[in-house]
Amino acid sequence: MKGAVDMTHGGGGRASAELIRDLFQKHLGNELLNKGHDAAYISAPAGRLVTTVDAHVISPLFFPGGDIGALSVHGAVNDLAMAGALPLYLTAGFILEEGLPLADLDRIVSSMAAAAREAGAKIVAGDTKVVERGKGDGVFITTTAIGVAPAGVDISPEHARSGMKVLLSGSIGDHGVAVMSSRENLEFESEIVSDSASLHEMAAAILAAVPNVAVLRDPTRGGVATALNEIAAAAGVGFVLDEAAIPVKLGVRGACELLGLDPLYVANEGKMLCICPAEQADAALEAMRSHPCGAEAAIIGEAVREDAGMVRMRTEFGGVRVVDWLAGEQLPRIC
Amino acid sequence: MKGAVDMTHGGGGRASAELIRDLFQKHLGNELLNKGHDAAYISAPAGRLVTTVDAHVISPLFFPGGDIGALSVHGAVNDLAMAGALPLYLTAGFILEEGLPLADLDRIVSSMAAAAREAGAKIVAGDTKVVERGKGDGVFITTTAIGVAPAGVDISPEHARSGMKVLLSGSIGDHGVAVMSSRENLEFESEIVSDSASLHEMAAAILAAVPNVAVLRDPTRGGVATALNEIAAAAGVGFVLDEAAIPVKLGVRGACELLGLDPLYVANEGKMLCICPAEQADAALEAMRSHPCGAEAAIIGEAVREDAGMVRMRTEFGGVRVVDWLAGEQLPRIC
């Protein structure tokens, strides 16, 4: 695909129609999207509907292990999954910057289509706008996912209770470090690759094994530290983590030292936290490990009555430190 | 509200949480959004679900008769309405540019909240990202609407048939001309104001009066000309319009002459086209006129067998001209 996005692609005329047909429909087409109507009639089986929205502004658009297209599906699917829902439909709004190579857009939309297929979700509505050079940055993609949760499922941050265990599905910081090293042109001995992936199957496996799971949460922007602080605040519990139990890849640990980052605050795009009653923790752990993305799953801490709203961590050196909210901005435009 | 958006507002840490609480929740809060979960559990009554997405990049953010906040609700609600659906839920993704005054954002979100309340829709999920100065343009808002259409309703561009009448709910070009004159700092004798408004009630009134209505369409980007060309292509019919019957405000007509625009191609944000069997046209017209936004509604033409896929117009001088697709880009960033 040759050429670049220009302002006529956003005008709603012939150029817009051609871009939609030759690029978006080519990759994303299905019987609902192809109707070319302003809105899509959809149907949902019995169950509770769940919806969510994610705006994606990641820079660069392509990074080791993924791109903004796949990420924009994973991000929305995972937010649904964290409510125990399976994705059915996606909508996508594209904001293109004049000058974006159409070949890049083609690659991004193709990757988006593959991620949606893998997640079993159809993209049923889309919209494209174009802004002048210098008023955007390549492409921004905002996705909304609509899905269904089994009746009775009610997963929510405020359901965490003291005594419950905190599980993590795998190593942290991979996504943030992959993006940062790509942005800064850093090379490490072992290539660090984003973990960007859909987690709805892992979440469904956990729900099947532990129907009374209290909280599922994907630690994206702000990382595990921010996610647990939010849950602590919502539920009025404290958390005590065990640093030695938290998986961090050697390469990620090294890169974080070099970049002055704490992996606990670095974004993940294919990891989840699970909080459940202690007596079900082993079953949840097994369910996580049954999924390819959860091979390194571990119990990393527990919820406690003391210091409600706070997250503390037993360090590898035997001390205890507070894992506070992220004060400033650690990694801009990481998702 | 003082200060401006900075990169920490997008970091997912404390500043993000405060922005959400002090600005977004203040205006948009409801029992679903306030849960602070990554996804919202929603419920829908019996009927067909309908969904749609609209990305909004309008410039300037504030214009006579509206702003990007209200527009982002109207745009999504109207796309649903054109499928015969009433809006229930909205999701909103915000892409903020570093440096945007928080007072402006506050005003925009407040206006969005008012438009959502008027439309009877709840904003149940939101996401906010921040990009560096020069990588965005104030604020972009992508909204997805989810609603319900009565069982049996099936409105779609391809349902237009020759012999059907084309109705228009009021004067054209108001929105585009209001935005352009605000952008170009033009002043006209009479202030031209955007028609930005939600049309779901008018659409429901038409459906109640004429259940077998074939097509509803809001002529936004590209205007009435583009909307009818799209419908002609989808349905394989031709359209013949009657120029004298198409309402254009005097001020809009004058501004268009000055700006070198054809009102037929100028965007509207509170008008609709309706295509229905000739024998029901009067009932549809009456339904349109029963709504404050439809006082000037008129029958502006009909679908014909000849010249399938084309739109022609009987001019006020007695000739016939082709109303082609918009070739280039007439008005950038009009919605």
Side-chain angles (χ1 to χ4, degrees), chain B residues 56-68 70-72 74 171-183 192-197 219-222 249 252 256 259 261 263 266-271 331-335:
Chain B
H56 298 88
V57 300
I58 192 167
S59 170
L61 300 175
F62 301 94
F63 48 85
D67 60 48
I68 191 172
L71 182 70
S72 71
H74 297 152
S171 66
I172 60 173
D174 302 14
H175 175 74
V177 166
V179 173
M180 284 304 285
S181 28
S182 154
R183 200 186 292 170
I192 297 159
V193 171
S194 167
D195 56 353
S196 185
T220 55
R221 259 191 303 186
K249 290 200 172 83
V252 169
C256 279
L259 295 163
L261 300 172
V266 177
N268 311 280
E269 291 292 343
K271 294 297 170 343
L331 296 177
R333 301 185 56 192
I334 208 71
C335 58

Side-chain angles (χ1 to χ4, degrees), chain B residues 25-209:
Chain B
Q25 282 197 351
K26 180 182 74 176
H27 292 300
L28 305 177
N30 58 59
E31 74 286 3
L32 293 167
L33 191 68
N34 294 352
K35 285 212 176 268
H37 201 356
D38 280 338
Y41 294 109
I42 56 178
S43 57
R48 288 173 85 181
L49 285 176
V50 183
T51 189
T52 182
V53 61
D54 256 325
H56 298 88
V57 300
I58 192 167
S59 170
L61 300 175
F62 301 94
F63 48 85
D67 60 48
I68 191 172
L71 182 70
S72 71
V73 172
H74 297 152
V77 165
N78 289 349
D79 280 351
L80 278 197
M82 298 308 109
L86 292 173
L88 295 171
Y89 304 107
L90 292 164
T91 73
F94 297 84
I95 298 174
L96 311 178
E97 184 192 13
E98 185 185 15
L100 174 73
L102 285 170
D104 285 359
L105 184 59
D106 192 69
R107 202 173 137 201
I108 287 164
V109 176
S110 159
S111 159
M112 202 171 171
R117 266 194 306 274
E118 255 178 61
K122 273 183 190 153
I123 297 178
V124 293
D127 189 35
T128 306
K129 295 286 156 65
V130 180
V131 295
E132 302 87 346
R133 212 181 283 263
K135 301 291 184 185
D137 196 12
V139 53
F140 302 142
I141 306 177
T142 302
T143 38
T144 279
I146 303 170
V148 180
V153 167
D154 186 15
I155 300 170
S156 191
E158 69 258 30
H159 295 167
R161 294 284 173 274
S162 66
M164 287 185 174
K165 294 291 184 192
V166 180
L167 288 76
L168 173 65
S169 65
S171 66
I172 60 173
D174 302 14
H175 175 74
V177 166
V179 173
M180 284 304 285
S181 28
S182 154
R183 200 186 292 170
E184 308 290 342
N185 267 317
L186 296 177
E187 290 198 16
F188 299 102
E189 269 178 53
S190 55
E191 200 199 17
I192 297 159
V193 171
S194 167
D195 56 353
S196 185
S198 286
L199 295 170
H200 59 294
E201 287 174 352
M202 191 192 292
I206 294 173
L207 261 176

Side-chain angles (χ1 to χ4, degrees), chain A residues 60-77:
Chain A
L61 300 175
F62 301 95
F63 49 83
D67 60 48
I68 192 171
L71 183 70
S72 71
V73 172
H74 297 152
V77 165

Side-chain angles (χ1 to χ4, degrees), chain A residues 183-206:
Chain A
R183 199 185 292 172
E184 308 290 343
N185 266 316
L186 296 176
E187 289 199 15
F188 298 103
E189 271 179 52
S190 55
E191 201 200 14
I192 298 160
V193 170
S194 168
D195 56 354
S196 185
S198 285
L199 294 171
H200 58 295
E201 288 174 350
M202 190 192 293
I206 294 172

Side-chain angles (χ1 to χ4, degrees), chain B residues 274-332:
Chain B
C274 164
I275 301 175
C276 70
E279 55 277 20
Q280 265 103 51
D282 285 337
L285 190 65
E286 201 179 317
M288 275 180 163
R289 287 183 174 163
S290 72
H291 191 275
C293 293
E296 296 178 285
I299 297 175
I300 63 161
E302 60 185 341
V304 294
R305 202 177 310 275
E306 305 84 56
D307 294 322
M310 285 182 70
V311 180
R312 289 169 300 152
M313 185 163 75
R314 282 189 294 268
T315 67
E316 295 187 85
F317 306 106
V320 172
R321 72 169 174 100
V322 171
V323 178
D324 202 357
W325 287 81
L326 179 63
E329 163 223 25
Q330 199 185 32
L331 296 177

